[in-house]
Every structure is written in structure tokens, then in C-alpha cells.
Amino acid sequence: MDGTYQLELFPQYKVTMLLFKNVKNASALRKKAMDGSIEGALLNPAVILDPLQVLVAVNKAVHLQSLGKMKTRNLNTEFIFNLFPTNNISEAFKTFGLSDSASGVLVVLTDDGTRALNSQEIISHVEGQQVPLADLSQLTDFTKVKKVPKAMKSILVGFLKQWFLLDPSSCDILYANLFFT
């Protein structure tokens, strides 16, 4: 039910994504993430179009970490920051971070091979139904995606163009929902 990926440029890193819907304890999860008792990032799946979007942000965060140029305190906050097109970290967290009223959560775990991450421990903290990562598009809220800043829309258009090249047949509905309704 999860998606685990190895970063191409940093093969020692593995990224695992766990998707949940009907989450009842988003506020408690958010607090645990903020105090560091959850080893992962909690994202709002309503504004994530595809796992590739997250993987690009994680890859950039790992690269900045290797250069010693992160703008945030840890890798999890850095890739949430990297999802947003500007240098406004509070807006990045408002847009892509888990809110107290969220009904879905995308948990992103990064493993650099130095310690074992226990996804079962994180799963046990979430009071909701785990669903396959392939169901991410069912949790996307296009009205929220449309409200992202213009700079973000240009990034999304570029992302969609790449996606069109990979799978043109599945993008027609997504593109129409984003830009023509």
C-alpha cells in the first residue's frame, strides 16, 4: 500500500510514502510532527498532484543537505519548503503541510541507510484508513490546487507537460480541471 522509491542521484536514500484517508487525529499528528516524535513529514494530499512532485522536492532537499545549504532545520521541513515556489516557509507549511482539520495525510519517510525507519510505528499513530498511493489523485482537491500562487501554477504547468509526455491519456481530465473550470 506504500510507495518506496530510491533517489536516482542519491541511491543511498529511499523515500517511502504512505497515504491515509478519513483521518480523525490530524491535529494530534501535526503536534507530534512539530515536536519531532514522528520521523517523517506529514503532507496535505489535497494539494499534491503526483508522487513525483514530492520526489523532486525530496531530491532537492537531500542535495542541499549534502552541500550544507539547507534553509530549514531538518530534511523533512526542507522538502516541504521545497514544494513551494517562493522562499516563504510559513506559506509552504500552510499550503503543503498537514492542517488540524485535514481528512487525509500523506506521510513521507526518508531513509539514508544509517538507521532503520519503522513505518509500522507511524502507521499505528494514524487514526484513519491506509489506502494505496495510486489513490492519491482521488484525494486531490482541484479547488485548493487552483488557489496556489501564480509562480506555483507555472511550476505545475511544467510538471503537467512532463506528465503529458509520460502518459498523455490520463492528463486530459486533470488539465481541464486545473485550468478551465
Side-chain angles (χ1 to χ4, degrees):
M1 288 234 250
D2 65 358
T4 301
Y5 307 88
Q6 186 173 10
L7 295 182
E8 202 170 304
L9 297 176
F10 301 96
Q12 71 274 23
Y13 278 86
K14 290 183 182 164
V15 178
T16 301
M17 294 184 221
L18 307 165
L19 183 62
F20 296 87
K21 68 178 186 179
N22 302 324
V23 175
K24 295 174 179 56
N25 64 333
S27 179
L29 289 171
R30 186 173 170 268
K31 287 177 185 165
K32 286 180 182 183
M34 289 175 62
D35 70 19
S37 61
I38 289 184
E39 287 287 327
L42 305 177
L43 301 179
N44 180 1
V47 292
I48 303 294
L49 295 173
D50 192 84
L52 180 63
Q53 184 180 359
V54 175
L55 290 172
V56 170
V58 172
N59 196 64
K60 182 178 178 183
V62 170
H63 177 68
L64 291 172
Q65 182 184 45
S66 70
L67 296 175
K69 295 190 176 193
M70 289 196 323
K71 294 179 181 174
T72 65
R73 286 185 264 169
N74 65 50
L75 191 62
N76 293 322
T77 56
E78 187 70 20
F79 77 75
I80 294 173
F81 176 65
N82 287 329
L83 284 166
F84 203 69
T86 68
N87 285 327
N88 189 334
I89 192 159
S90 63
E91 285 299 316
F93 277 94
K94 283 181 193 174
T95 304
F96 291 101
L98 185 66
S99 68
D100 289 341
S101 61
S103 62
V105 62
L106 178 61
V107 179
V108 182
L109 308 169
T110 54
D111 178 8
D112 63 1
T114 60
R115 65 190 186 325
L117 287 178
N118 186 356
S119 61
Q120 290 303 316
E121 179 184 340
I122 292 172
I123 291 170
S124 71
H125 288 290
V126 181
E127 295 173 13
Q129 177 187 358
Q130 187 177 6
V131 295
L133 188 59
D135 292 351
L136 179 63
S137 63
Q138 294 174 7
L139 298 178
T140 302
D141 183 347
F142 293 104
T143 57
K144 288 183 180 180
V145 173
K146 286 181 194 179
K147 292 180 182 178
V148 296
K150 288 183 182 181
M152 185 65 181
K153 285 185 181 175
S154 68
I155 290 171
L156 289 175
V157 168
F159 175 73
L160 287 173
K161 286 179 183 176
Q162 289 293 330
W163 198 11
F164 282 134
L165 295 174
L166 298 174
D167 187 10
S169 63
S170 68
C171 294
D172 293 337
I173 294 170
L174 177 65
Y175 190 78
N177 280 323
L178 280 174
F179 300 106
F180 300 112
T181 58

